[in-house]
Amino acid sequence: MRYSYCPYGQEAFAEYISTLRHYLFDEAGNYLGELPPGADLQYQPLSLDAGSYTMVTVGNASDHTLCECAPQQGLESFELSLRQRYEDREDILCNGDQLYWGVKSFTVDGEGGVLGLPTKGTRGAPEEMTTYMNNIHCHLEIKVVWDNMPEYIGDYEMELENVHAGYSLCPERSQQAGGFTVPACGEETATHRLRVPLRSQELYGEFVTLRYTDERIPTFRLWFGSEQITPDIDLGRAFRTWGWYPSNTHVQQYRIQVKIFGDGRVEVTPWLDTSVEDWVNGGMFG
């Protein structure tokens, strides 16, 4: 089995993917086990008996990214969830892994054999034994600036609320995003936080989470200790104003700037661009 990642038409596997975890299922969807990666990460040898199989592969997953099936339910219940806790908070997540995902169903004929590079016993042309990996995480870079001077000096906390916290890894539930296949998001949501130092009167943070969807785009808050510095900022309204539709975007990389005024107003703009009016308390544009 060969693995490939081509987000923009050029092979980029080695640049973005450093580990792979392979989960093998039989034709009935029964879980057969996790297979160790090959010596060459981009080529996976498989010694299998005759039969039909589905291989679900997750890239860059640490031990804090859980991929599990419900007992006796197999592929249909195969799900991914996050366990990267923020400091000592059980109810808040920190940044997750930069995840990638690919699925391949294939059949081994006759006596079976080792499937990696094309071999006898593999049904279909050689190129059909390639698993194409797709990006299934989101980057959100946030810069916070003040119109005058920040009230506090020290570490602030950036918070995102209402972020997807899991996926169904069952290929039958997958969705299309810009012509690429991505897993369906689950109903569970999470809150993510970052601790960021004030430097040169500005804050910079980068969130790494699961994908956003058009129906679920997070709310942003800024904290200093227990004091909430900004009102709740519904980024969904900003994304729609700017024409940013995550469900149709296969590589989600966003950059925004939050400007805080002395009278409590907050202005949110795309980073390096200008297009959005003032934000007032309650998350509405003024």
Side-chain angles (χ1 to χ4, degrees), residues 92-93 95 138 140 142 158-163 190-194 206-209 212 217-221 223 233 235 256:
I92 297 178
L93 299 178
N95 275 347
C138 177
L140 175 64
I142 302 177
M158 293 182 177
E159 179 179 290
L160 289 183
E161 183 187 62
N162 197 35
V163 185
T191 297
H192 288 252
R193 276 198 184 187
L194 296 176
E206 182 173 8
F207 287 94
V208 180
T209 67
Y212 303 167
I217 298 171
T219 296
F220 174 77
R221 302 183 187 92
W223 298 85
I233 301 175
L235 296 182
I256 67 173

Side-chain angles (χ1 to χ4, degrees), residues 150-151 184 201 225 244 252 261:
E151 184 176 358
Q201 313 305 315
W244 294 359
Q252 296 186 349
F261 293 85

Side-chain angles (χ1 to χ4, degrees), residues 6-284:
C6 299
Y8 302 109
Q10 298 292 325
E11 182 59 64
F13 182 96
E15 183 177 354
Y16 292 100
I17 300 175
S18 58
T19 65
L20 292 177
R21 300 184 69 174
H22 303 290
Y23 303 91
L24 187 66
F25 298 83
D26 67 14
E27 186 175 14
N30 299 308
Y31 179 52
L32 301 179
E34 181 176 350
L35 305 184
D40 182 342
L41 195 64
Q42 212 164 345
Y43 292 92
Q44 179 68 20
L46 301 173
S47 182
L48 300 171
D49 295 332
S52 295
Y53 301 90
T54 296
M55 179 85 85
V56 179
T57 299
V58 180
N60 296 345
S62 69
D63 291 340
H64 297 289
T65 296
L66 302 184
C67 300
E68 299 177 313
C69 300
Q72 310 302 318
Q73 293 188 32
L75 183 56
E76 184 177 345
S77 70
F78 195 35
E79 296 182 345
L80 180 149
S81 60
L82 304 180
R83 294 294 182 268
Q84 291 95 339
R85 302 303 180 192
Y86 174 75
E87 298 181 354
D88 294 328
R89 297 288 299 271
E90 287 296 320
D91 58 333
I92 297 178
L93 299 178
C94 60
N95 275 347
D97 299 321
Q98 299 181 68
L99 297 171
Y100 297 82
W101 176 75
V103 177
K104 188 67 178 179
S105 295
F106 57 94
T107 298
V108 178
D109 290 331
E111 298 300 322
V114 177
L115 307 182
L117 296 174
T119 61
K120 184 178 180 181
T122 302
R123 177 179 297 169
E127 59 269 20
E128 293 178 348
M129 286 308 297
T130 297
T131 298
Y132 293 96
M133 303 296 291
N134 291 317
N135 185 312
I136 61 167
H137 62 275
C138 177
H139 285 265
L140 175 64
E141 297 178 66
I142 302 177
K143 181 166 70 171
V144 177
V145 299
W146 277 262
D147 181 55
N148 205 343
M149 294 286 290
E151 184 176 358
Y152 302 110
I153 304 299
D155 287 353
Y156 288 72
E157 290 177 286
M158 293 182 177
E159 179 179 290
L160 289 183
E161 183 187 62
N162 197 35
V163 185
H164 286 293
Y167 292 130
S168 168
L169 297 181
C170 177
E172 292 184 358
R173 298 176 182 167
S174 63
Q175 302 170 343
Q176 293 295 303
F180 294 78
T181 303
V182 296
C185 294
E187 292 301 317
E188 183 182 355
T189 63
T191 297
H192 288 252
R193 276 198 184 187
L194 296 176
R195 185 173 297 278
V196 292
L198 182 69
R199 292 175 177 165
S200 301
Q201 313 305 315
E202 296 181 351
L203 302 172
Y204 169 79
E206 182 173 8
F207 287 94
V208 180
T209 67
L210 299 188
R211 289 174 53 85
Y212 303 167
T213 58
D214 295 348
E215 298 77 23
R216 185 163 289 161
I217 298 171
T219 296
F220 174 77
R221 302 183 187 92
L222 183 67
W223 298 85
F224 187 87
S226 60
E227 181 178 346
Q228 185 173 336
I229 303 300
T230 65
D232 291 359
I233 301 175
D234 176 8
L235 296 182
R237 185 165 188 181
F239 274 43
R240 290 188 291 273
T241 298
W242 303 330
W244 294 359
Y245 296 102
S247 292
N248 295 324
T249 304
H250 71 282
V251 176
Q252 296 186 349
Q253 294 180 308
Y254 304 110
R255 305 174 83 230
I256 67 173
Q257 177 176 288
V258 177
K259 188 173 185 179
I260 301 174
F261 293 85
D263 61 3
R265 289 180 301 122
V266 177
E267 179 185 78
V268 183
T269 59
W271 195 344
L272 303 181
D273 288 317
T274 57
S275 65
V276 174
E277 302 293 334
D278 290 348
W279 207 298
V280 299
N281 208 1
M284 300 294 290

